[in-house]
């Protein structure tokens, strides 16, 4: 039982350590998530005019949001789509032209700068610069608009912004396509290269990975991870509590065994004391037996002497009886002789 308690105690320590580590992970994830949400709520990374407009969103229901907030893109295509959108990613989608007009007036009056608005009632997606079916061309992934998930009501806006931009897997394939179609295409790659009609190519490294599309996705991933960590932490806590209960039960069992063992020790000591008493009695009896045996031996020797004396007396008695019998006969004879005389 003691060995089992030690084992459970070790498992409890491991569970506590794992739980504490998971709590630390949760805290770190919560801090990171809070920081990202704060950035998103403050529209950090956007122009000051955009932030001023978005501060009016609660008051003006005609503001739907910036383009980045209204779309979702798989992680592997975020760079390509953000490259395709360019500054348009900060454009503000509104219900109609009237809302856009009011917001432009708001910017003018307060000298907050400029912004681009996309009224849902006035956006036409237009036609693609490239042929419709480009899927058979080497390296073509699709049109940028096809890689974006958004509400149906924003589909025209997305197609207007990037519907005519091809996404190609590698810059070499993109250059080959440009040559084939006489430099008439707009092409982006997952690595962020941008090829425009006329032959210009832009590209390079981004300063950081905290792009506007990635921020939204990262917030969602952090929320999912946080839920997972919390669930794991709850499981670890439950396991720790279960182990503690098992440890308590084992300790109670140990106390029971210890009481039993104590009783056995008491019984053992009592038995030892009784045994000692009995052994002492046995020694006394043996000593008495030795004395009695010596006395018996002496008595036996005396008895043998008495038996010899008795035998001697018996012999003497027999001899006397024999003499008496002879004397009696002689007397009888003498009596007969006397009677005759």
């Amino acid at each position: 039982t003691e060995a089992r308690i030690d084992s459970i105690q070790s498992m409890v320590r491991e569970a506590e350590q794992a739980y504490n580590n998971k709590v630390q992970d949760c805290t770190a994830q919560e801090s990171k998530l809070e920081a990202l949400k704060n950035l998103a709520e403050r529209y950090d990374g956007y122009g000051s005019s955009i932030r001023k407009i978005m501060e009016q969103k609660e008051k003006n229901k005609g503001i739907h949001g910036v383009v980045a907030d209204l779309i979702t893109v798989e992680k592997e295509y975020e760079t390509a789509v953000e490259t395709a959108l360019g500054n348009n990613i900060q454009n503000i989608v509104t219900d109609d032209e009237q809302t856009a007009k009011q917001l432009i007036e708001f910017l003018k009056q307060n000298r907050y700068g400029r912004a681009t608005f996309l009224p849902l009632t006035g956006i036409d997606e237009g036609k693609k610069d490239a042929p419709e079916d480009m899927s058979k061309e080497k390296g073509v992934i699709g049109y940028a608009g096809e890689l974006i998930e958004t509400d149906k009501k924003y589909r025209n806006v997305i197609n207007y912004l990037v519907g005519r931009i091809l996404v190609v897997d590698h810059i070499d394939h993109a250059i080959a396509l440009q040559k084939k179609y006489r430099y008439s295409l707009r092409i982006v790659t997952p690595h962020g290269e941008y090829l425009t009609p006329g032959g210009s190519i832009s590209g390079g490294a981004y300063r950081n990975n905290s792009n506007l599309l990635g921020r939204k996705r990262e917030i969602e991933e952090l929320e999912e991870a946080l839920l997972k960590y919390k669930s794991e932490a709850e499981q670890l806590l439950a396991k720790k509590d279960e182990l503690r209960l098992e440890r308590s039960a084992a300790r109670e069992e140990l106390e029971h065994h210890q009481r039993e063992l104590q009783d056995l020790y008491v019984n053992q000591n009592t038995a030892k004391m009784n045994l000692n008493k009995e052994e002492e009695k046995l020694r006394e009896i043996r000593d008495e037996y030795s004395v009695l045996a010596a006395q018996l031996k002496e008595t036996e020797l005396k008895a043998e002497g008495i038996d010899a004396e008795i035998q001697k007396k018996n012999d003497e008695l027999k001899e006397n009886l024999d003499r008496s019998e002879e004397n009696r006969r002689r007397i009888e004879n003498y009596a007969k002789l006397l009677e005759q005389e």
Side-chain angles (χ1 to χ4, degrees), residues 205-210:
Y206 284 95
R207 291 182 181 179
N208 54 60
N209 293 325
S210 184

Side-chain angles (χ1 to χ4, degrees), residues 196-213:
T196 59
S200 68
I201 304 176
S202 61
Y206 284 95
R207 291 182 181 179
N208 54 60
N209 293 325
S210 184
N211 54 64
L212 299 179
L213 290 180

Side-chain angles (χ1 to χ4, degrees), residues 179-193:
K179 289 180 180 179
K180 181 177 180 179
Y181 288 92
R182 298 181 181 182
Y183 301 96
S184 61
L185 304 177
R186 294 181 184 275
I187 303 174
V188 294
T189 71
H191 299 288
E193 291 88 12

Side-chain angles (χ1 to χ4, degrees), residues 29-89:
Q29 293 290 332
E30 285 176 339
S31 298
K32 190 173 181 181
L33 179 60
E34 188 66 24
L36 278 175
K37 284 184 174 180
N38 288 336
L39 288 176
E41 289 172 0
R42 296 196 307 267
Y43 285 89
D44 192 78
Y46 291 83
S48 59
S49 59
I50 307 301
R51 291 197 296 272
K52 293 297 181 182
I53 291 295
M54 294 312 296
E55 288 174 1
Q56 304 299 311
K57 186 177 180 181
E58 292 298 323
K59 299 178 182 178
N60 192 332
K61 300 304 180 181
I63 301 173
H64 287 251
V66 294
V67 171
D69 289 343
L70 304 177
I71 63 175
T72 302
V73 181
E74 291 184 14
K75 184 178 180 179
E76 59 183 316
Y77 301 127
E78 283 176 358
T79 300
V81 170
E82 191 154 351
T83 300
L85 286 169
N87 290 332
N88 292 330
I89 199 169

